[in-house]
């Protein structure tokens, strides 16, 4: 797995290209030791990507960095391993690997994403907590992004419901963001959930990381619940990705004069399902509360 850690950590080579390269070479170890001539004959990488891969092979810190990752309780799950989430294999642009602290979602159990505004209102807080709790009480895994507002509150609700929740970060799994969610971060691990990311350990939470991580949140879920969202928000990106992936999207209706409900109301107008109550949602899912 050391070589998988090495290959997964090479930036600026697209994930789909990495997957094709591994399928052709067989293993990440074979890629590590491949000669430049053989690499070029494969005709899978652009010139700059070949240079990036060869440069990465010169690094002498591989053993030390891999062991440091393991000491932090982090594992790497690459494409092709049996542990790799089946739901991720079904999307157009799956990550080559996931870094995991704790556990991965159970692919045989139902899962729902709860996403929404960071600066949510008490109305959004109330229903994010309530839906998270009642879904968890019925054995449904809750997927979200550990963010302020709806995301974190929905995940806290799942913990209160005695269930499991999984946070997909826009940073390395050893970088809790926001920092004031460290208590939630630790509670998720304590309750046998997991912290997940496609980014190597130590990666800071840069703005460009978050839109891409949203495709993982939606992919790991059967349905996506949007609790509160402005007309243009990351939550609507997640909803769009979910629809592209063939998932059902639900939205919480709100006052027409509330800017934080405009995104949800727009989703409902465009055909998203309406959230009336947790019991109603569970009934639609064929689950008795």
């Amino acid at each position: 797995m050391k070589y998988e850690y090495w290959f997964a950590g090479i930036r600026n080579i697209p994930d789909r290209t990495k997957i094709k390269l591994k399928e052709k070479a067989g293993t990440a170890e074979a890629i590590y030791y491949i000669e430049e001539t053989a690499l070029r004959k494969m005709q899978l990488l652009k010139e700059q990507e070949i240079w990036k891969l060869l440069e990465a092979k010169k690094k002498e810190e591989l053993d030390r960095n891999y062991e440091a990752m393991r000491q932090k309780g982090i594992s790497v799950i690459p494409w092709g391993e049996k542990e790799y989430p089946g739901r991720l294999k079904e999307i157009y642009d799956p990550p080559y690997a996931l870094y995991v602290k704790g556990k991965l979602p159970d692919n045989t159990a139902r899962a729902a994403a709860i996403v929404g505004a960071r600066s949510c209102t008490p109305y959004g807080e109330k229903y994010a907590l309530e839906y998270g709790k009642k879904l968890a009480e019925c054995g449904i895994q809750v997927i979200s992004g550990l963010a302020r507002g709806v995301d974190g509150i929905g995940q806290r609700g799942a913990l209160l419901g005695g269930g499991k929740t999984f946070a997909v970060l826009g940073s390395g799994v050893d970088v809790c963001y926001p920092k004031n969610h460290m208590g939630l971060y630790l509670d998720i691990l304590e309750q046998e959930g997991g912290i997940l990311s496609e980014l190597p350990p130590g990666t800071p939470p840069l703005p460009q990381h978050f839109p891409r991580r949203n495709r993982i949140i939606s992919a790991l879920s059967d349905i996506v619940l949007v609790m509160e969202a402005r007309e243009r928000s990351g939550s609507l990106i997640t909803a769009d990705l979910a629809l592209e992936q063939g998932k059902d999207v639900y939205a919480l209706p709100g006052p027409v004069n509330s800017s934080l409900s405009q995104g949800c109301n727009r989703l409902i107008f465009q055909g998203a399902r309406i959230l009336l109550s947790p019991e109603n949602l569970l009934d639609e899912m064929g689950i008795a509360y």
Side-chain angles (χ1 to χ4, degrees):
M1 202 56 71
K2 175 176 69 174
Y3 296 103
E4 291 288 3
Y5 163 77
W6 163 78
F7 190 45
I10 301 174
R11 311 314 295 167
N12 302 316
I13 297 180
D15 288 322
R16 295 182 73 199
T17 303
K18 285 183 178 179
I19 290 169
K20 289 178 183 177
L21 185 56
K22 182 180 176 180
E23 288 174 343
K24 201 156 188 176
T27 65
E29 184 176 1
I31 297 168
Y32 186 85
Y33 288 107
I34 196 170
E35 295 290 336
E36 182 178 348
T37 305
L39 191 62
R40 291 183 183 280
K41 283 183 179 178
M42 288 183 177
Q43 298 183 332
L44 290 173
L45 300 179
K46 297 175 183 176
E47 187 64 33
Q48 188 177 13
E49 293 167 352
I50 292 173
W51 180 83
K52 286 282 184 185
L53 192 147
L54 295 174
E55 276 293 303
K57 288 166 66 171
K58 294 178 182 178
K59 293 184 177 180
E60 298 176 355
E61 311 90 24
L62 176 57
D63 288 338
R64 184 173 70 248
N65 290 345
Y66 178 65
E67 188 56 34
M69 181 190 76
R70 293 185 62 201
Q71 290 295 324
K72 290 181 179 180
I74 301 169
S75 56
V76 58
I77 311 297
W79 177 272
E81 294 295 311
K82 63 179 180 180
E83 296 88 357
Y84 189 91
R87 289 182 174 103
L88 279 184
K89 293 178 184 177
E90 298 169 3
I91 67 173
Y92 172 75
D93 55 346
Y96 173 76
L98 280 182
Y99 298 89
V100 182
K101 194 169 177 65
K103 295 189 175 182
L104 283 166
D106 182 350
N107 204 53
T108 64
R110 295 196 188 189
I114 297 180
V115 297
R118 285 173 169 80
S119 55
C120 60
T121 67
Y123 171 74
E125 289 182 14
K126 169 182 167 62
Y127 287 105
L129 189 74
E130 186 174 333
Y131 275 90
K133 182 174 182 289
K134 292 192 175 181
L135 288 171
E137 287 173 349
C138 292
I140 298 171
Q141 304 168 108
V142 172
I143 316 290
S144 199
L146 200 77
R148 295 183 184 90
V150 165
D151 290 32
I153 293 165
Q155 295 194 274
R156 177 59 68 188
L159 296 176
L160 290 173
K164 294 181 181 180
T165 181
F166 301 85
V168 184
L169 305 188
S171 62
V173 295
D174 55 341
V175 180
C176 178
Y177 180 79
K179 291 181 179 179
N180 62 359
H181 273 188
M182 180 56 78
L184 176 60
Y185 176 104
L186 295 173
D187 288 345
I188 288 172
L189 295 174
E190 177 70 22
Q191 205 152 307
E192 297 189 338
I195 310 295
L196 321 174
S197 178
E198 65 179 325
L199 300 166
T203 303
L206 301 178
Q208 62 266 31
H209 295 161
F210 292 90
R212 279 192 59 75
R213 72 90 190 257
N214 291 348
R215 81 192 193 287
I216 300 176
I217 292 175
S218 57
L220 291 174
S221 310
D222 298 309
I223 59 173
V224 172
L225 314 185
V226 184
M227 307 310 293
E228 274 190 322
R230 299 183 188 276
E231 281 272 22
R232 296 180 180 179
S233 71
S235 303
L236 298 189
I237 293 174
T238 308
D240 287 341
L241 290 165
L243 291 171
E244 288 176 12
Q245 295 165 0
K247 310 296 176 73
D248 285 331
V249 173
Y250 290 78
L252 182 73
V256 294
N257 62 348
S258 169
S259 62
L260 284 169
S261 288
Q262 286 176 0
C264 287
N265 292 342
R266 177 68 61 184
L267 283 174
I268 294 167
F269 177 76
Q270 292 172 344
R273 301 192 181 200
I274 189 169
L275 288 172
L276 298 176
S277 71
E279 293 78 12
N280 180 263
L281 173 62
L282 289 164
D283 185 58
E284 284 197 27
M285 297 175 73
I287 299 171
Y289 177 67

